Amino acid sequence: MKVLGIETSCDETGIAVYDTHSGQIWQRLYSQIEKHREYGGVVPELASRDHVVKAAPLLREIISEIGTIEDIDAIAYTRGPGLIGALMVGANLARGLAWALDRPVLGVHHMEGHLLAPMLAEPQPECPFVALLVSGGHTLLVDVKAIGDYKILGESLDDAVGEAFDKTARLLGLPYPGGPQLAALADKCSGSRFEFPRPMTNRPGLDFSFSGLKTAALNIIKQHQPLDPDLREQIAYAFQHAVVDTLRIKCKRALDATGYRNLVIAGGVGANRRLREVLETLTAERGARAYFPALEYCTDNGVMIAYAGALRLSSGQCDENIFDVLPRWPLDSLQPIQI
Ligand code: KG4
Ligand code: ZN
């Protein structure tokens, strides 16, 4: 079955086709980052308008590679969570195509797309496992008993990890989205004279709080004006160190609490080199392993939506007459997939 996936939840227009028989993938990805950069963050109205302009031409390119649109057997789109206007662009395109081609269509949960992206690589993680989902909008620790059977173990009470990276990067004068650039600055350094807190690690529980780290960075920056390049690197290093250490402590706790061996990491911050290293070491010490998506599938893309949609559509799920998007949509409200 060839499944078309359409991702438009935020500032990336991702269109992809995943073939469940051959595993073959066709994809196009367009990032709106340049459009939003001058505003220092995503402007929802601009995002929706740009998806309208880009989605159909990207789809046309893929279809001309595949040969004919008739080869598409089913359609998946991101139904939520995300920006309402942006989501509606993808939903409209998906629904219109499904109607015109008379194909099944399914709205996919964006975070399930992220969570399943590591399954596109070999070896595939096997359930049950603990998933750490770290993106610009979410920080979640999830007990994954089976695909679709999710229990939230912990989440951020304020800023998501990616958001904390981006806000701190902005304080350091880096352009939006500064997460990867802050990480690159931090990686230039081998130590720091600064020590940031590890929020909420000195009490039990699996929730997170990252907004205090940005304030800690702000205070140091104010005290050390003008910042020279070495100080910026040291602040970036201390920030990244504290975030990664906090995530490591909570992942270890989640593995202890569930008794599971394996850890799956996904979402944009899953591309972070230091996070990968530290969580690989944590799981190796326990005789287990950490599973990450390929770097290109860490941040938003259409392939993860086509893949998650394909798993659900192959198990017989599809939406009948629903036409809605869900800007807020709890991950643990999904139906397990019957395989
Ligand atoms: O998953 P994603 O593409 O979008 C959301 O669903 O939110 O994640 C984007 C986030 C941004 O905050 C970006 O700064 C962050 O992931 N990010 C990183 C790195 N690469 C992307 N943060 C830290 N280190 C990285 N290497
Ligand atoms: Zn995402």
Side-chain angles (χ1 to χ4, degrees), residues 7 9-10 110-111 114 135-138 267-268 298-301 304:
E7 157 61 34
S9 68
C10 190
H110 180 80
M111 297 312 290
H114 276 302
S135 72
H138 294 85
C298 281
T299 43
D300 292 349
N301 63 86
M304 68 186 198

Side-chain angles (χ1 to χ4, degrees), residues 161-169 178-179 182-183 239-240 243 269 272:
V161 183
E163 192 181 356
F165 261 95
D166 294 341
K167 286 180 175 171
T168 306
L182 187 156
F239 171 84
Q240 176 170 273
V243 170
V269 187
N272 186 276

Side-chain angles (χ1 to χ4, degrees), residues 3 19 37 57-58 76 83 91 118 123 188 197 201 213 246 272 278:
V3 178
D19 185 335
R37 189 160 274 157
L58 295 183
L83 302 171
K188 284 189 183 172
T201 54
L213 290 180
T246 304
N272 186 276
V278 165

